[in-house]
């Protein structure tokens, strides 16, 4: 899987993150999930945290939200093999509710602790453009005042000046029903159009 520029450093980070203890999320006893796939991708997509399905596969964006994200990537004229997919935190934050573990957003302290891994990915992949998926990614990449409803759909300066476009997280759309779903789908299509335009610029 790991070929091209920066691939060794990313491969090493992907092994070392499995032993990370920099925040309490490792105590869940579940594995860390590092980014993948193209180490020299022009576009990096950053989500919130690994899902339950990701813990089984060891790959980010497995399961239903990954399937929807694949459609979005395809709409950009790309494929998983041509982008770098990752999350703000590499261990899954969860809460127990009625005897079941549910995803929860990472705390600011957890995002901050895990930033070192995201920074390695940003440095090694060196994308031209970042697509932030959801509020946690927007806050991590754009700033703590980021609000998805206010700041999605425009290119804002991100880490090292790399432009960041924010849109909704695919898992959010999977929870919506009509008419909110259609409105969110339209917003995502507009955001993907902007990403496509920005990538087409040289
Ligand atoms: S979430 Fe990130 S910082 Fe926290 S233990 Fe896992 S890899 Fe380390």
């Amino acid at each position: 899987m790991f070929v091209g520029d920066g691939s060794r450093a990313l491969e090493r980070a992907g092994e070392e993150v499995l032993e990370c203890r920099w925040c309490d999320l490792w105590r869940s006893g579940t594995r860390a999930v590092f980014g993948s796939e193209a180490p020299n991708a022009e576009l990096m997509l950053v989500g919130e945290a690994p899902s339950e399905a990701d813990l089984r596969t060891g790959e980010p964006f497995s399961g239903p939200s990954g399937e929807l994200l694949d459609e979005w990537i395809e709409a950009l004229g790309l494929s998983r093999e041509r982008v770098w997919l990752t999350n703000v935190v590499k261990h899954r934050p969860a809460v127990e509710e009625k005897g079941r573990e549910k995803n929860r957003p990472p705390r600011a302290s957890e995002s901050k602790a895990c930033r070192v891994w995201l920074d390695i990915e940003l440095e090694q992949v060196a994308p031209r453009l970042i697509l932030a998926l959801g509020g946690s990614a927007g806050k991590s990449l754009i700033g703590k005042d980021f609000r998805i409803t206010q700041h999605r759909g425009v290119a804002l300066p991100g880490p090292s000046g790399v432009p960041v476009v924010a849109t909704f997280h695919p898992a959010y759309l999977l929870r919506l029903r009509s008419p909110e779903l259609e409105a969110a789908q339209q917003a995502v299509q507009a955001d993907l159009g902007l990403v496509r335009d920005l990538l087409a610029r040289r």
Side-chain angles (χ1 to χ4, degrees), residues 131-148:
L131 180 58
L133 301 162
S136 295
K139 281 187 197 306
S140 174
L141 293 161
I142 294 165
K144 64 179 172 45
D145 295 330
F146 174 86
R147 297 283 177 277
I148 190 82

Side-chain angles (χ1 to χ4, degrees), residues 17 20-26 32 89-91 110 113-114 117:
V17 77
C20 180
R21 304 285 185 267
W22 288 335
C23 79
D24 278 345
L25 288 177
W26 71 272
V89 292
K90 312 308 189 208
H91 276 96
E110 293 161 347
C114 212
W117 300 110

Side-chain angles (χ1 to χ4, degrees), residues 159-175:
S160 305
V162 177
V164 179
V165 175
T167 194
F168 296 115
H169 193 289
Y172 170 69
L173 268 78
L174 293 178
R175 293 195 296 271

